[in-house]
Amino acid sequence: MCGIVGIVGKVPVSQALYDGLTVLQHRGQDAAGIVTVDNGVFNLRKDNGLVRDVFHTRHMKKLTGLLGIGHARYPTAGSSSSAEAQPFYVNSPYGIAFAHNGNLTNAHELKDEVVKISRRHINTTSDSELLLNIIAHELQTCEGLELTPEEIFKAVANVHKKIRGAYAVVAAIIGNGMLAFRDPYGIRPLALGKRKTEFGDEYMVASESVALDAVGFTFVRDVAPGEAIYVTEAGVLHSQQCAVNPVNAPCIFEFVYFARPDSFIDGISVYASRVNMGRKLGQKIAREWSNLDIDVIIPIPETSSDVALQIAIELDKPYRQGFVKNRYIGRTFIMPGQTMRRKSVRRKLNAIPSEFKGKNVLLVDDSIVRGTTSEQIIEMARESGANKVYFASAAPEIRFPNVYGIDMPSANELIAYGREIDQISELIRADGLIFQDIQDLVEAVSELNPEISRFETSVFDGNYITGDVDHSYLERIDGMRNEGAKNAGSQTELSNLEMHNMSQGSNSN
Ligand SMILES: O=P(O)(O)OC[C@H]1O[C@H](OP(=O)(O)OP(=O)(O)O)[C@H](O)[C@@H]1O
Ligand SMILES: NC(=O)CC[C@H](N)C(=O)O
Ligand SMILES: [Mg+2]
């Protein structure tokens, strides 16, 4: 998952973009970048690292201008080289800078078309660079230096026809304005906000509403699936539905894990959906485990806390923060390699022995993906003297790869793939394991906005909403992106050309 932001302002935007990215950091910890437009020139700073490490005062001073976009990256295609950090840039037509959250499922075929038909050069293995070139190709046919909203929306409609997969994007077009759009299924989120100033209205788009809150913009609405928003440099907003048959089917994993609880996505409070997940799972535990003597409910910080508290309320048992989280270690699931993820769990979480000693504990997590966290946490609970260790997951078993912007490309790396609950329980060494039912998960989220009847649930049921994902596709991405392939790839990453300015060292001060 990545975080994207874009602002057309009346005052310089770099600080607001930076602040917006810091509150979207949970969506991507690998790389960050900002592009601003000033006097017909792009100013770019991007590199690997957290937002706070990528932008120093010397960079911020150079990111001048009233229009800009930003990105926090979690790679799902290509490599994690800084050359694939976003925003990307093309000089023709107009000069376009671009940031993308999601993942294209037909990148393979598109690459051929972009190279052979459009005769455009793609310098990285990133699907986002490809997508930028497809947009550029569509805008290339427009006449004149000033684009009309109609021309822009036509180009987006053509892009929708060509590309498949998940995409929420924002682009800055020199001499024109900011363009943002969302894929026809609305798999990845995108919110629109507005701020009134004495000089006129400013507009902002962001992956999550929390970024709007953080910089003082008022949430206006979610960008609809398939819809494009175009804000001119002068600050005039245009919008249009550009997809033929849009369907609102947001990714349910945003609610389970990715998004911040204080965000609203498609009219749904992420926090309220997690409370509902806790309620449903608590009821299932009460039904199916009535014979178990659970003494205490303990969350696995941080995402599962809201779910665990509600389970404790349902079961009328105490809720205790038995694990302390090191606030300086980020999210482990979105770290790039399994070795790093494994090491980080113990560095990130430490047990308070008195909460475990001699007790039957129910540990609650939002999800079990590779089992990295659950296995180690159960071991820590036992080391702290727990009597029985039960485990509950607020999401059902994850048995299928994700192809829409979550880096789970290989079924073999998923602990639930090809295994029954007893086998998973044995692997993570739990005394009992229980998962949320898929129906309950969907209801937990959908009852907060009855207008949404479908969700993208492929990781649980293998039903890929874009309809273009088959066995051979999954085999191909597994071969390209499983742990072994990524480790082999990292050997060659050092030699990647890094074609972007303001990189480390090139601006000493
Ligand atoms: O089964 P696994 O492969 O370990 O993945 C699942 C775990 O990873 C995530 O935590 P993470 O540490 O990323 O973030 P959090 O602090 O937001 O819970 C998620 O909340 C689970 O705890
Ligand atoms: N998680 C994402 O949204 C990733 C965006 C893009 N596919 C990349 O790998 O950079
Ligand atoms: Mg977690």
Side-chain angles (χ1 to χ4, degrees):
M1 209 60 48
C2 299
I4 60 172
V5 285
I7 300 177
V8 181
K10 299 292 178 191
V11 294
V13 289
S14 59
Q15 191 60 46
L17 290 170
Y18 176 96
D19 294 340
L21 285 181
T22 57
V23 289
L24 296 179
Q25 188 78 82
H26 60 282
R27 300 182 67 84
Q29 303 169 165
D30 258 48
I34 290 177
V35 160
T36 57
V37 179
D38 195 8
N39 260 323
V41 170
F42 280 133
N43 301 302
L44 165 68
R45 166 65 184 166
K46 62 176 182 174
D47 204 352
N48 283 346
L50 297 175
V51 175
R52 62 161 189 249
D53 300 323
V54 168
F55 303 99
H56 300 168
T57 309
R58 62 181 186 274
H59 305 120
M60 295 303 290
K61 277 185 185 158
K62 290 180 183 170
L63 291 169
T64 54
L66 308 185
L67 190 158
I69 64 172
H71 189 259
R73 185 174 189 230
Y74 159 58
T76 58
S79 73
S80 47
S81 155
S82 60
E84 300 197 16
Q86 301 189 32
F88 277 110
Y89 157 71
V90 287
N91 69 349
S92 173
Y94 310 99
I96 309 171
F98 164 90
H100 165 219
N101 171 209
N103 197 61
L104 301 186
T105 47
N106 64 339
H108 194 66
E109 297 96 80
L110 290 170
K111 178 139 192 203
D112 258 15
E113 185 181 324
V114 167
V115 174
K116 290 184 189 145
I117 300 174
S118 313
R119 284 173 294 156
R120 288 178 162 270
H121 172 65
I122 306 295
N123 208 56
T124 70
T125 43
S126 161
D127 60 328
S128 309
E129 190 187 6
L130 204 56
L131 175 45
L132 165 58
N133 277 277
I134 288 165
I135 296 169
H137 178 73
E138 291 303 327
L139 290 173
Q140 194 86 55
T141 51
C142 301
E143 285 170 11
L145 279 180
E146 205 173 309
L147 286 161
T148 62
E150 292 68 36
E151 286 174 315
I152 292 197
F153 295 143
K154 192 169 158 228
V156 174
N158 286 340
V159 170
H160 281 324
K161 285 183 197 140
K162 284 190 176 166
I163 66 178
R164 300 275 171 278
Y167 47 98
V169 309
V170 62
I173 308 172
I174 292 262
N176 285 280
M178 177 180 82
L179 168 67
F181 56 93
R182 203 172 165 196
D183 70 69
Y185 293 97
I187 300 174
R188 293 290 148 237
L190 193 62
L192 173 69
K194 184 171 166 176
R195 185 166 67 179
K196 288 191 181 303
T197 75
E198 55 181 300
F199 311 109
D201 292 342
E202 303 182 302
Y203 289 99
M204 176 171 181
V205 290
S207 294
E208 291 182 34
S209 62
V210 67
L212 307 174
D213 303 343
V215 298
F217 278 68
T218 309
F219 172 80
V220 175
R221 62 184 176 85
D222 295 285
V223 177
E227 187 189 21
I229 303 280
Y230 174 57
V231 185
T232 64
E233 279 185 345
V236 181
L237 182 134
H238 305 267
S239 64
Q240 189 168 299
Q241 177 53 259
C242 298
V244 179
N245 281 319
V247 177
N248 208 352
C251 168
I252 206 151
F253 214 65
E254 291 278 351
F255 298 93
V256 170
Y257 167 70
F258 267 104
R260 259 176 59 148
D262 44 346
S263 281
F264 284 75
I265 296 178
D266 293 316
I268 298 170
S269 152
V270 175
Y271 169 78
S273 76
R274 289 184 187 158
V275 172
N276 279 354
M277 288 174 212
R279 186 165 42 81
K280 303 247 181 211
L281 184 55
Q283 288 164 356
K284 181 174 177 184
I285 294 169
R287 267 194 326 268
E288 297 194 2
W289 279 0
S290 56
N291 56 331
L292 292 190
D293 189 13
I294 295 166
D295 295 316
V296 59
I297 315 294
I298 296 181
I300 298 175
E302 173 162 1
T303 301
S304 71
S305 305
D306 303 323
V307 173
L309 178 56
Q310 193 57 33
I311 292 178
I313 293 169
E314 293 299 319
L315 299 179
D316 199 16
K317 300 281 180 192
Y319 166 90
R320 291 277 187 271
Q321 298 272 2
F323 293 103
V324 176
K325 183 187 152 195
N326 177 347
R327 69 184 65 184
Y328 302 102
I329 302 234
R331 297 185 115 179
T332 52
F333 173 70
I334 61 172
M335 286 175 178
Q338 185 60 5
T339 317
M340 199 202 274
R341 282 192 288 264
R342 274 200 73 80
K343 277 192 193 150
S344 298
V345 173
R346 274 185 185 254
R347 284 192 205 137
K348 175 171 161 174
L349 297 171
N350 195 29
I352 296 179
S354 57
E355 290 299 346
F356 294 89
K357 206 165 172 29
K359 295 184 187 168
N360 295 337
V361 299
L362 173 62
L363 305 183
V364 177
D365 211 347
D366 51 84
S367 56
I368 302 177
V369 184
R370 300 177 179 92
T372 322
T373 308
S374 42
E375 184 202 333
Q376 294 189 69
I377 285 291
I378 290 172
E379 194 173 86
M380 284 160 73
R382 292 201 195 283
E383 285 165 6
S384 298
N387 181 30
K388 296 270 186 199
V389 185
Y390 304 111
F391 203 97
S393 164
E397 304 91 302
I398 294 174
R399 295 209 162 97
F400 299 89
N402 186 283
V403 297
Y404 299 126
I406 306 175
D407 197 27
M408 301 178 194
S410 170
N412 289 309
E413 288 164 15
L414 305 170
I415 194 168
Y417 174 66
R419 293 194 180 96
E420 293 305 320
I421 297 178
D422 287 354
Q423 297 170 296
I424 307 167
S425 182
E426 208 172 298
L427 271 181
I428 62 174
R429 297 193 198 89
D431 292 303
L433 173 63
I434 194 161
F435 287 94
Q436 182 97 264
D437 293 333
I438 178 82
Q439 189 62 27
D440 281 348
L441 174 63
V442 170
E443 278 174 24
V445 188
S446 66
E447 65 191 34
L448 295 162
N449 182 358
E451 280 174 23
I452 302 183
S453 53
R454 278 183 87 174
F455 287 86
E456 204 302 300
T457 51
S458 55
V459 294
F460 305 116
D461 58 16
N463 179 13
Y464 294 91
I465 199 144
T466 52
D468 59 337
V469 176
D470 57 16
H471 186 66
S472 65
Y473 175 82
L474 292 176
E475 269 190 345
R476 194 168 69 236
I477 58 156
D478 185 347
M480 272 167 13
R481 292 197 58 81
N482 64 29
E483 278 302 312
K486 276 189 217 152
N487 290 340
S490 63
Q491 311 293 320
T492 52
E493 263 177 36
L494 287 176
S495 61
N496 261 5
L497 281 176
E498 298 193 3
M499 294 189 56
H500 51 87
N501 60 17
M502 287 174 79
S503 63
Q504 270 176 349
S506 64
N507 281 272
S508 51
N509 236 318

